[in-house]
Amino acid sequence: MRNRILGGIGVLFVLPLLLLTGCWDSVELNRRAIVSGVAIDKGDSEAERYKLSFQVIVAEEISGEKSRGISPVALYTGTGRTMFEALADASRQTARFLSLGHVRVLVISEAFAREGIKDLLDVLERESDTRLNSLIFISKGQPAREIMSTMTVFSKIPANDLVEKLETTSKQFGYNFRMAVDDVIRGIQIRGGGPVINGVYTRGEWTPSSGSNDSLKNIEPRSILRVSSLAAFKDDKLKGWLTGDAALGTVLLHNRIKEFPVLLKQQEGGYLSFNIYQSQVSLAVNSSDPEHTVFTVKITQQAALKEAPNPLDLTSPKVLEELSDRLIKESVKHIQAAISTAKELGSDYLGFGRALQRKDPRGWKKVRDHWEDVFADCEIRFDADVVIRHTDMRSNSFQIH
């Protein structure tokens, strides 16, 4: 009798599971339109405040089966008072459901970024279909829609090409680095600071033909997507663009750069080229008086000599020591430029406030409400060390003889 009772109870547990199998909101793959990238522009009126452009993959053209020789991606644009309404408007133009689960790139127009992007991020964080690891870019000086409608050479899908360009430049010779939706959301919540987002623009003249394969038939493409500059934010608003020393110093302070070139000009003429292949920057905090906090930027780098078109004796320790001192000055110059620019923009996107908060939470509470003023006047010191580890395949140049 006991076994029968236990068996009956087991059946009661199993039957509901059989009834709940499957997904109630499932959509077959052949009914989905896979979105690879989204461009967000500002509309011309309140009724069209959001202008969303969806880069949809044409699977038949990517796989090669049943190919019709058309573009591998299609762009659909919807407008609305909210992002959700704009998505609904765009869905009326497609024969399939717009699937946002594979979005790799989000491009926000500069006009929208200057106005504020917190409402956009709220939608991206709230919507279950979107991914928080999608990369964010700010279109510099042009509508975001043009970025999503520019054909590229190395990838049939422009959004994928943009991701690969960022990965390449972040690993070799560039100051741009990966910045995803989740990173931007956390950056906005930093008191007195904000996130730093990669900029992108179309090099060359963008025309409607830039979205055609015909623009790629020349040796030199008419339009090229270029990852460049860093968009510096205060809270959720774009305050300015970082380039050159300010951009490089910003990435050094964030420890997000793999390697980068440094040039030293010689009095005799020409340049020496170095590759900084290892860099570590940290902040030491002296907050005995939080209102006048003193920061010490500690820099440790290793370099390799890449070009020496001058008759220098590279076997001489004295020569190498002099070159190391000059490299130290260059590194300090990069970070000084980054700090000066941040103070001018009135935003601590460099993370000095976070360093103070970690070191002295009580002191941080005293200054957090007016940290912008404290940061503008705080003292910055430097402790740098750059070591030239090697000169590659030879020491002295043949020119020395």
Side-chain angles (χ1 to χ4, degrees), residues 120-262:
L120 309 180
L121 297 174
D122 177 78
V123 176
L124 297 174
E125 188 180 38
R126 190 178 303 278
E127 176 57 49
S128 59
D129 286 343
T130 58
R131 301 165 56 184
L132 293 180
N133 61 350
S134 300
L135 299 182
I136 286 190
F137 295 84
I138 305 296
S139 64
K140 185 178 181 181
Q142 67 182 122
R145 187 178 188 277
E146 294 182 1
I147 303 297
M148 285 290 99
S149 56
T150 301
M151 296 300 294
T152 55
V153 174
F154 291 103
S155 178
K156 292 183 178 180
I157 304 173
N160 290 351
D161 181 84
L162 200 53
V163 172
E164 292 166 5
K165 278 184 172 131
L166 179 60
E167 292 177 347
T168 300
T169 189
S170 66
K171 292 179 180 178
Q172 187 177 29
F173 308 143
Y175 53 67
N176 297 90
F177 59 95
R178 291 178 61 90
M179 181 61 69
V181 175
D182 191 42
D183 298 320
V184 175
I185 291 174
R186 283 187 274 113
I188 287 177
Q189 298 178 66
I190 297 175
R191 188 184 291 268
V196 176
I197 305 178
N198 295 293
V200 61
Y201 69 95
T202 303
R203 195 185 74 181
E205 183 180 0
W206 188 93
T207 62
S209 64
S210 299
S212 169
N213 287 329
D214 293 337
S215 65
L216 305 178
K217 292 182 179 180
N218 300 323
I219 292 179
E220 184 177 359
R222 299 172 188 171
S223 302
I224 300 175
L225 290 182
R226 180 180 176 88
V227 179
S228 181
S229 305
L230 295 175
F233 281 69
K234 171 67 177 297
D235 298 326
D236 70 320
K237 293 181 175 62
L238 172 63
K239 304 301 288 186
W241 292 97
L242 308 178
T243 58
D245 288 342
L248 181 55
T250 297
V251 183
L252 286 172
L253 281 166
H254 283 282
N255 285 309
R256 298 295 294 270
I257 195 166
K258 302 293 183 182
E259 56 184 270
F260 60 96
V262 175

Side-chain angles (χ1 to χ4, degrees), residues 38 43 45 50 62 65-66 77 82 94 173 255 264 275 281 298 305-306 320 324 327 329 333 345 376:
V38 179
S45 64
Y50 293 90
I62 298 296
E65 299 178 2
K66 300 179 181 180
T77 301
T82 65
T94 65
F173 308 143
N255 285 309
L264 298 181
N275 180 38
V281 178
K298 297 183 178 181
L305 180 66
K306 290 296 183 180
L320 293 178
S324 295
L327 287 175
K329 293 179 181 179
K333 183 183 74 171
L345 296 176

Side-chain angles (χ1 to χ4, degrees), residues 2-22:
R2 182 186 178 189
N3 291 337
R4 290 181 180 179
I5 293 174
L6 292 175
I9 294 174
V11 171
L12 291 176
F13 277 107
V14 171
L15 284 176
L17 296 178
L18 296 176
L19 297 175
L20 294 175
T21 57

Side-chain angles (χ1 to χ4, degrees), residues 277-342:
Y277 62 89
Q278 186 172 331
S279 176
Q280 184 65 39
V281 178
S282 60
L283 295 177
V285 183
N286 182 351
S287 59
S288 55
D289 179 7
E291 295 288 345
H292 301 87
T293 304
V294 178
F295 294 94
T296 300
V297 181
K298 297 183 178 181
I299 308 169
T300 304
Q301 295 176 338
Q302 296 185 23
L305 180 66
K306 290 296 183 180
E307 289 182 76
N310 296 286
L312 289 176
D313 184 7
L314 298 175
T315 61
S316 169
K318 182 178 180 181
V319 171
L320 293 178
E321 185 177 350
E322 290 176 352
L323 293 177
S324 295
D325 291 339
R326 294 183 63 186
L327 287 175
I328 289 174
K329 293 179 181 179
E330 286 294 313
S331 297
V332 171
K333 183 183 74 171
H334 298 323
I335 295 181
Q336 282 179 329
I339 296 172
S340 297
T341 303

